Amino acid sequence: METSALPRDSLLLFGSESDGLAGEARASAETTFSIAQFGSTRSINAGVAAGIAMHCWVRQHADPTRAW
């Protein structure tokens, strides 16, 4: 995800930490991304993953001149 071009118009879906997205949600997704991890951990807490994904999107698409 950190090196991918994320679409400006996006809907971000996050699955559970152990099972991921439900089959129907995954099948309807146009693209899936993963977050780079190091060490023996195989998953990241869903809330943390959401924060990382939103930060990646903001870095690519937020207008720095606009006051949010």
Side-chain angles (χ1 to χ4, degrees):
M1 168 162 263
E2 299 85 357
T3 60
S4 300
L6 304 176
R8 181 167 186 79
D9 295 328
S10 296
L11 171 66
L12 302 174
L13 300 174
F14 301 92
S16 68
E17 294 162 32
S18 59
D19 299 325
L21 286 175
E24 187 174 315
R26 184 181 262 292
S28 68
E30 185 175 306
T31 307
T32 59
F33 299 94
S34 61
I35 297 170
Q37 298 178 72
F38 301 95
S40 62
T41 302
R42 293 182 0 164
S43 68
I44 296 175
N45 172 281
V48 172
I52 293 169
M54 288 183 276
H55 178 72
C56 288
W57 186 93
V58 165
R59 287 187 47 117
Q60 292 180 30
H61 299 294
D63 180 354
T65 64
R66 181 176 175 182
W68 296 94

